[in-house]
Amino acid sequence: MLPFILGIESSCDDTSAAVVEGTIVRSNVTANQEIHSDFGGVVPELASRAHQQNIIPVIEAAIQRANIRKNQLSAVAYTQGPGLLGSLLVGASFAKSLALGLQIPLIESDHMQAHILAHFLQRPGHPHTPPSFPFLCLTVSGGHTQIVLVRDYFDMEILGQTIDDAAGETFDKAAKILGLPYPGGPAIDKLASEGDPARFSFAKPTIPGLDYSFSGLKTSILYFIRDELKKDPGFIDKNKADLCASIQATIVEILMGKLRAAMTSPQSSVLSPQSSIHNHHGSTAPLHQSLVTGHRLPDVAIAGGVSANSGFRKALSEIGKKEGWNIFIPPFEYTTDNAAMIAVTGYFKFLKGEFSDQSGTPYARSRW
Ligand code: KG4
Ligand code: ZN
């Protein structure tokens, strides 16, 4: 019999609880906090209060929808960090009390690892094959942009990451400039589908290596729109769809550029045993070599809130076909923050017997 693990996620503005049975999602309930939409970003104080209000009903609903009783739970997993401390404390305190009350193990989950491990979640009635180790994952969220070499469930190495702002933050800031509500990513995504992605161009970073930078792009969008508004106060309204499409295309291009570079970096050679062999065009050719020799193709995944973006998903599928990568894109409900990913991370730790005591403290910044 597989254990039932309750996951609790409260790192930012979503209060979420989920029950998994092994890797199978039995329930996944999220209360979004509408309150932040008027402020153009998450207000930490309001987020903590909303978590306090939401946490009991959300956990009750998760247990009820899983069709189990509390005493059937084998462990409680919670997000320890990174995230907003006040928000994390709500989930952490509740998880600790519940584990203590039920006399079951307590498990700490790292939010960024959990985004990646969401690929191992199984939805009843939707059989799927998760990526095989080792694989590369581009995790893109509101606070992080990381290219991660995933050797095993908890053996992950960051090959590159943003040196300033995250891609999700750039979507959110751009949306704010355009007068769209928070979170800006989904709003830009929707409007972008009606616009011309080649209409406007913005500054792209030129930093070396596998790291990202988005602050220059943010400034470029801000200054461009400010200047255009001086000439025509109706500029945004007249060009909203094209602006969204062009901003989205620029962010996706930046994301893809470094992902492609990461796939040809020496660290990624573990993904495809033949990747260093050159084909007759003179380029490295994991696809050709893998097919010819029977080696598996390299597995490449995306994760995090921005992996919900339709332009990003499409670009990855196209590049995957072209370059010969096996592409893994999470179902929508496991891209943005959710507790199912925390619960499944808890399950993999449960298998290792990696439990925590009551003394664990939340952390704001990534521990990697
Ligand atoms: O992973 P996530 O839910 O929370 C963090 O861990 O930060 O990511 C939230 C981010 C926000 O910046 C939001 O605008 C972005 O993900 N996002 C999107 C889309 N859906 C959410 N960005 C672009 N297109 C989307 N469809
Ligand atoms: Zn997240």
Side-chain angles (χ1 to χ4, degrees):
M1 221 181 66
L2 292 166
F4 288 112
I5 314 284
L6 173 73
I8 300 174
E9 155 64 29
S10 69
S11 66
C12 192
D13 58 337
D14 294 313
T15 319
S16 185
V19 174
V20 293
E21 183 180 8
T23 57
I24 301 161
V25 183
R26 291 288 297 258
S27 65
N28 185 35
V29 180
T30 303
N32 305 113
Q33 302 180 0
E34 296 292 328
I35 194 151
H36 307 287
S37 68
D38 294 340
F39 296 92
V42 177
V43 185
E45 179 74 10
L46 296 178
S48 316
R49 277 194 231 173
H51 283 306
Q52 289 277 22
Q53 284 165 352
N54 293 339
I55 197 148
I56 292 177
V58 162
I59 288 175
E60 273 179 352
I63 292 172
Q64 201 177 22
R65 284 187 206 173
N67 207 12
I68 60 162
R69 293 179 310 281
K70 271 201 293 282
N71 60 11
Q72 286 178 271
L73 290 171
S74 299
V76 181
Y78 72 98
T79 307
Q80 194 186 10
L84 300 170
L85 278 182
S87 292
L88 289 164
L89 278 166
V90 178
S93 309
F94 199 96
K96 286 179 183 180
S97 316
L98 191 63
L100 203 60
L102 294 174
Q103 297 280 299
I104 55 175
L106 179 70
I107 300 172
E108 293 159 351
S109 296
D110 180 274
H111 184 85
M112 297 315 293
Q113 285 187 340
H115 268 303
I116 296 172
L117 296 179
H119 280 281
F120 294 87
L121 287 167
Q122 290 189 299
R123 293 176 296 170
H126 294 82
H128 92 298
T129 313
S132 310
F133 299 120
F135 65 92
L136 204 72
C137 187
L138 173 52
T139 315
V140 196
S141 69
H144 295 80
T145 307
Q146 302 176 327
I147 299 177
V148 184
L149 178 60
V150 188
R151 294 195 189 85
D152 206 341
Y153 296 109
F154 300 105
D155 182 1
M156 302 184 185
E157 184 189 348
I158 297 174
L159 304 184
Q161 60 187 322
T162 182
I163 56 165
D164 40 51
D165 304 317
E169 206 177 337
T170 311
F171 270 109
D172 296 334
K173 287 276 157 59
K176 195 174 177 185
I177 297 167
L178 296 177
L180 297 168
Y182 178 86
I188 290 188
D189 193 355
K190 198 159 166 249
L191 279 164
S193 63
E194 298 153 21
D196 174 5
R199 174 85 190 285
F200 303 108
S201 54
F202 301 101
K204 292 190 200 89
T206 51
I207 56 162
L210 300 180
D211 285 336
Y212 287 102
S213 166
F214 286 98
S215 66
L217 171 61
K218 251 171 50 181
T219 313
S220 158
I221 295 168
L222 181 69
Y223 286 0
F224 172 74
I225 292 179
R226 188 196 57 186
D227 293 347
E228 292 300 321
L229 280 176
K230 275 187 204 152
K231 292 182 238 160
D232 175 8
F235 176 75
I236 291 178
D237 287 336
K238 287 177 198 157
N239 299 288
K240 218 172 233 177
D242 288 348
L243 282 165
C244 287
S246 302
I247 290 166
Q248 178 170 297
T250 309
I251 296 173
V252 169
E253 194 185 324
I254 296 169
L255 290 171
M256 286 303 157
K258 293 286 175 156
L259 181 63
R260 201 189 260 118
M263 284 301 288
T264 51
S265 74
Q267 292 103 315
S268 296
S269 60
V270 292
L271 300 174
S272 171
Q274 299 294 306
S275 61
S276 59
I277 295 178
H278 291 251
N279 70 7
H280 54 275
H281 302 299
S283 62
T284 52
L287 169 66
H288 298 181
Q289 299 303 334
S290 303
L291 286 177
V292 171
T293 61
H295 282 293
R296 73 175 179 87
L297 306 179
D299 287 358
V300 182
I302 55 172
V306 179
S307 68
N309 184 267
S310 51
F312 186 27
R313 293 163 90 94
K314 188 165 167 259
L316 187 78
S317 302
E318 284 170 4
I319 205 176
K321 267 189 212 129
K322 193 159 159 253
E323 300 285 335
W325 306 340
N326 273 327
I327 294 305
F328 294 84
I329 299 176
F332 278 107
E333 60 261 50
Y334 309 134
T335 53
T336 46
D337 289 350
N338 67 88
M341 69 185 197
I342 303 302
V344 82
T345 304
Y347 169 63
F348 292 126
K349 285 201 174 178
F350 184 89
L351 293 180
K352 287 167 30 131
E354 207 176 305
F355 305 136
S356 315
D357 59 22
Q358 294 275 322
S359 66
T361 47
Y363 49 89
R365 296 200 167 275
S366 208
R367 281 198 168 167
W368 293 1

